[in-house]
Amino acid sequence: MSCFTRLALGGLGWVFWGPIGGIIGFVLGGVFSDSSPRQLREDVNENLGNTQEKRDFNVSLLVLSAAVMKADGAVKKSELDYVKRFFLQNFGQERAENYIKMLREILNRDYNLYEVSQQVGKNMDYSSRLQLLHYLFGIAQSDGQVSDSELSVINVISDYMGIYASDFASVKAMFVKENDNAYTILGIDPSATDEEVKKAYREMAKKNHPDLVSNLGDEVREAAEKKFQEINAAYETIKKQRGL
């Protein structure tokens, strides 16, 4: 496919689906370079998910994954393997390979992180954004630790997506261990009253319940269940400390 056609696809993608659509339109022109226009449309439907919600999540995940992977100046094998496992478990070998081809193309492009993250914030429900944030931390930690540069990029993405600071701190605490982690996971201070602890737990459990993201695929739901378990564990730790 010619460079002109790829640029045209990118332009059309941007017009209809904003900054993320522009990136993916250009990338798809490279990944499916031998496709006819009709086949290309079929490839888009097949490889980006069967519903609009799922396509939005998967495409956002690809673009923001690339930002985190490039944060410390080198794309690590452990990071690529983490992304591969996610798509393999959700979509099978063939579609996972196509996603990784798209990711490799995205990694070679520069784009406006503010515009992309803002688009995600405007078009994705809050629970899905929280799960996307959790996934990004998973990429960063795939090599054993979350670097300062990765943490900085994820913080920027979270802010641009409209994630509350307390929710960012909660997800971060699941990956970056610090003092009073149990309280941070529940989004409260150690000075909180027993009633405030119970209320914080109920609110955190409600907005992070796995059922809220079950439409995004089995792997997303499994990750949400692990996050939900961390919230429960934090609550149990605090109750034990306080004798509740």
Side-chain angles (χ1 to χ4, degrees):
M1 187 173 289
S2 70
C3 181
F4 173 79
T5 305
R6 293 183 67 179
L7 288 171
L9 283 170
L12 286 172
W14 200 97
V15 168
F16 291 107
W17 299 295
I20 293 176
I23 295 167
I24 296 302
F26 187 90
V27 166
L28 284 172
V31 173
F32 303 110
S33 56
D34 297 324
S35 299
S36 65
R38 179 178 179 180
Q39 182 61 48
L40 183 60
R41 287 195 298 272
E42 293 175 358
D43 288 332
V44 171
N45 290 331
E46 173 64 19
N47 289 285
L48 297 189
N50 298 321
T51 68
Q52 186 63 48
E53 280 183 314
K54 203 163 186 177
R55 283 196 296 270
D56 288 349
F57 185 85
N58 294 340
V59 170
S60 302
L61 185 148
L62 281 176
V63 176
L64 297 180
S65 292
V68 174
M69 293 168 76
K70 294 195 295 184
D72 51 11
V75 176
K76 300 181 180 69
K77 183 178 183 299
S78 58
E79 296 169 337
L80 197 56
D81 287 343
Y82 184 93
V83 180
K84 283 181 180 178
R85 281 196 302 274
F86 173 87
F87 286 110
L88 184 62
Q89 291 174 5
N90 271 282
F91 304 111
Q93 185 70 38
E94 183 177 355
R95 292 179 68 185
E97 288 177 358
N98 284 329
Y99 270 113
I100 296 304
K101 287 179 183 177
M102 293 170 64
L103 178 61
R104 291 185 188 280
E105 289 270 346
I106 294 170
L107 285 167
N108 290 323
R109 285 181 55 78
D110 293 321
Y111 49 86
N112 189 309
L113 191 57
Y114 172 78
E115 290 180 350
V116 169
S117 301
Q118 281 272 295
Q119 184 181 349
V120 172
K122 290 178 181 177
N123 295 287
M124 187 179 292
D125 67 84
Y126 196 75
S127 294
S128 296
R129 279 179 274 158
L130 282 177
Q131 195 54 43
L132 184 56
L133 182 65
H134 191 271
Y135 168 88
L136 295 177
F137 267 108
I139 292 178
Q141 198 194 44
S142 63
D143 63 348
Q145 63 177 357
V146 180
S147 70
D148 290 342
S149 55
E150 289 169 331
L151 182 58
S152 177
V153 168
I154 296 174
N155 196 0
V156 167
I157 291 171
S158 177
D159 187 41
Y160 289 163
M161 287 197 303
I163 300 295
Y164 296 124
S166 59
D167 286 330
F168 172 81
S170 173
V171 177
K172 174 190 170 186
M174 298 178 190
F175 293 90
V176 181
K177 302 303 180 184
E178 298 173 340
N179 293 332
D180 298 322
N181 258 34
Y183 287 96
T184 305
I185 288 173
L186 293 188
I188 53 176
D189 189 82
S191 62
T193 65
D194 291 347
E195 275 307 309
E196 288 171 335
V197 169
K198 293 175 183 178
K199 180 181 179 181
Y201 168 71
R202 289 194 297 268
E203 291 178 351
M204 193 64 70
K206 183 178 179 180
K207 64 186 170 187
N208 286 281
H209 198 283
D211 286 349
L212 295 173
V213 294
S214 59
N215 57 317
L216 298 177
D218 292 341
E219 179 68 9
V220 176
R221 182 182 171 82
E222 288 176 13
E225 287 173 349
K226 291 178 182 177
K227 182 171 66 171
F228 196 67
Q229 289 169 6
E230 294 247 18
I231 292 170
N232 286 329
Y235 184 48
E236 291 300 320
T237 296
I238 295 173
K239 286 202 301 180
K240 185 176 180 179
Q241 290 173 349
R242 295 187 174 209
L244 297 178

